[in-house]
Amino acid sequence: MPGADPGVDPRAPIRHLVLDELSRGIVERLDPASASFLNSSGLAKASPMGLGLYRIEPVGKVGSVRTPTVQLDVRPKDRLGLGRLLFLLSYARDQGFRPDAVSAVEDRDLWSALAESLAQLAEQALGRGVLQGYLTVDESLRTVKGRIRISDQISRRPGMLVPLEVSYDEFTEDIAENRILRAALERMGQVPRVQPEVLSRLRQLKGKLDAVTRLPAGAPLPRWKANRMNLRYHAVLRLAELILRNASAEAGQGTQQTASFVVDMVQVFGDFVGTALREAMAAYPGELRLQFSTLLSEAVNDADRLSVRPDAVHLLGGRPVAVYNAKYRAATDPGASLTADHYQMLGHCTALAVPTAWLVYAGAGEVKLRRILNTDIDIVEFPLDLSRPPSDILASVRELARQSWGEVVHARPD
């Protein structure tokens, strides 16, 4: 095969390794290049043990890394599928995200599911042609077109009448939506071992966008706004943005390709709970603020002050009335500390003068109320079962809002 690394047979089957994010790891044989890329990806740690063996341990992230010889998947606890993971990832950015927009078969590997989903959604989006829109263009021209940028004309060409610094709107395919879509198609097309049929579809789709400006590596994603004109692009753009923010695909040693899709479930869960809870609490009086910072202690010098930063605080008339923390690790998970979580919430309640705190755990179980001895503080453990359908997860968050507001009403003086 022209250009291929002679040390790797592209026809050899790729080894597929699977870890649970809470597991203690496995011992497997790896080639040095794959071990190095695995360590650099941030998904897991590969420690050499001699004779080509490595201990592979999860490090608190989930996702997938693929090299020419091996694919490692670190799956979320409770074996959440791709559809659920993408739902949680995207909800904080767009409450309108529909998990059924991801055409993933849950028993397939992540890369196959992502590539097939992107191909299907892009085919639907481009089925009626490439979207066009207005793009503001700044140019230097010898004739007036659009409007003259007076300040630029004076600063750049004082005393000169031509050329003119002008701005005008051009109806074109080179818009943010198409730039994002092209970048996602390119990135998925670089993932090693994508099925040839799917890879061919991705290349054909990208070919329709060859007139669109290519996003430079590392450049921020251009902003776009959902409206009825780009409605047919909504689903594919949401998936494309998730791919571009969380996945990388690049040349490794020689001409071989490597790819990684890595996310921090602690951050994902916290972002999701905060966004969903703020939406649910909008039905009640007051205002929910995320990442609310307040003082825990007094001190003469600012540097000596202690502060706390709960994940969410609900304010009524500017006064805190409820406090929430999201904990991805449930009390039964390895490494979780129920006592530490309750100490933290006790500090939040004390600093905010709030009688009830809500610990939102990722997991199944029953709601538990714990009265803290020698105080008037209650801490409620509220489980959120992420294995349930998205509609049920959101219904549970609404129930959390209902119960917490009920406690606020109960605690208020008549």
Side-chain angles (χ1 to χ4, degrees):
M1 184 175 179
D5 189 331
V8 176
D9 183 355
R11 297 167 297 180
I14 191 170
R15 285 192 301 134
H16 193 179
L17 310 177
V18 180
L19 282 176
D20 184 280
E21 64 170 319
L22 301 180
S23 72
R24 295 183 177 180
I26 56 176
V27 175
E28 289 285 343
R29 187 174 300 277
L30 293 177
D31 59 278
S34 293
S36 176
F37 182 70
L38 184 57
N39 282 321
S40 67
S41 72
L43 179 64
K45 179 183 178 182
S47 303
M49 301 180 66
L51 301 176
L53 297 176
Y54 289 79
R55 173 169 289 279
I56 307 172
E57 300 171 285
V59 294
K61 305 289 180 65
V62 303
S64 182
V65 165
R66 179 177 283 186
T67 77
T69 60
V70 67
Q71 175 173 323
L72 173 68
D73 293 347
V74 179
R75 294 179 177 174
K77 66 178 187 175
D78 303 324
R79 295 193 175 277
L80 300 183
L82 175 65
R84 196 74 73 255
L85 176 60
L86 295 185
F87 165 70
L88 296 172
L89 265 172
S90 59
Y91 193 88
R93 293 185 176 272
D94 181 1
Q95 292 93 326
F97 180 82
R98 296 179 295 108
D100 58 345
V102 180
S103 311
V105 180
E106 297 296 2
D107 62 355
R108 297 171 63 183
D109 71 83
L110 182 143
W111 294 109
S112 296
L114 282 176
E116 175 64 26
S117 298
L118 182 63
Q120 286 193 22
L121 294 176
E123 286 165 350
Q124 295 170 17
L126 298 173
R128 289 186 287 145
V130 178
L131 182 70
Q132 291 185 301
Y134 285 100
L135 178 70
T136 300
V137 178
D138 294 337
E139 277 190 329
S140 300
L141 300 176
R142 301 189 69 82
T143 58
V144 177
K145 184 177 183 180
R147 64 179 180 82
I148 301 174
R149 305 195 313 276
I150 300 297
S151 60
D152 288 340
Q153 183 71 26
I154 294 174
S155 62
R156 296 180 184 179
R157 310 180 193 282
M160 298 178 61
L161 298 179
V162 290
L164 297 169
E165 298 296 325
V166 300
S167 293
Y168 59 92
D169 291 332
E170 182 179 9
F171 195 63
T172 176
E173 296 179 354
D174 195 15
I175 55 178
E177 292 91 332
N178 290 324
R179 293 180 184 180
I180 292 171
L181 180 52
R182 172 178 173 159
L185 291 167
E186 286 182 342
R187 186 160 301 181
M188 285 306 303
Q190 294 170 348
V191 173
R193 305 291 185 113
V194 171
Q195 294 180 0
E197 182 269 335
V198 178
L199 184 59
S200 176
R201 289 161 61 196
L202 293 174
R203 288 171 175 168
Q204 290 176 7
L205 290 162
K206 190 189 78 68
K208 296 183 178 182
L209 301 171
D210 280 347
V212 176
T213 299
R214 185 176 183 272
L215 289 181
L221 298 184
R223 300 178 68 87
W224 66 281
K225 185 176 181 180
N227 54 53
R228 64 180 185 85
M229 300 300 294
N230 58 19
L231 180 63
R232 60 189 168 102
Y233 269 52
H234 290 184
V236 73
L237 286 176
R238 288 161 186 157
L239 180 58
E241 287 183 320
L242 288 176
I243 290 171
L244 293 173
R245 289 193 177 101
N246 297 283
S248 67
E250 57 193 31
Q253 293 187 0
T255 59
Q256 294 299 322
Q257 294 289 324
T258 54
S260 62
F261 186 97
V262 181
V263 297
D264 183 342
M265 285 301 295
V266 173
Q267 184 69 43
V268 170
F269 182 68
D271 290 346
F272 168 76
V273 170
T275 302
L277 183 60
R278 182 168 55 189
E279 184 182 53
M281 288 300 293
Y284 303 99
E287 173 194 10
L288 188 86
R289 293 187 188 175
L290 304 181
Q291 300 299 314
F292 188 88
S293 182
T294 189
L295 293 177
L296 179 63
S297 68
E298 296 181 355
V300 175
N301 300 315
D302 289 343
D304 294 331
R305 296 178 186 270
L306 301 177
S307 62
V308 294
R309 192 180 181 88
D311 293 334
V313 171
H314 195 73
L315 304 172
L316 189 63
R319 183 175 66 87
V321 292
V323 59
Y324 311 83
N325 262 6
K327 298 293 182 181
Y328 178 63
R329 289 197 172 186
T332 55
D333 292 340
S337 174
L338 185 62
T339 301
D341 292 343
H342 283 73
Y343 271 132
Q344 184 182 50
M345 295 309 291
L346 177 61
H348 292 171
C349 288
T350 303
L352 296 168
V354 171
T356 305
W358 299 80
L359 272 171
V360 187
Y361 284 112
E366 300 294 328
V367 176
K368 293 182 181 179
L369 184 147
R370 298 181 188 268
R371 170 62 59 87
I372 305 301
L373 291 175
N374 302 314
T375 74
D376 293 325
I377 293 174
D378 292 330
I379 299 178
V380 184
E381 299 166 18
F382 193 97
L384 203 58
D385 189 350
L386 302 182
S387 67
R388 303 289 298 168
S391 58
D392 289 356
I393 298 174
L394 294 175
S396 295
V397 177
R398 290 193 293 271
E399 177 62 17
L400 167 63
R402 187 190 69 80
Q403 290 189 27
S404 60
W405 177 251
E407 288 296 319
V408 170
V409 173
H410 177 74
R412 293 178 66 189
D414 295 332

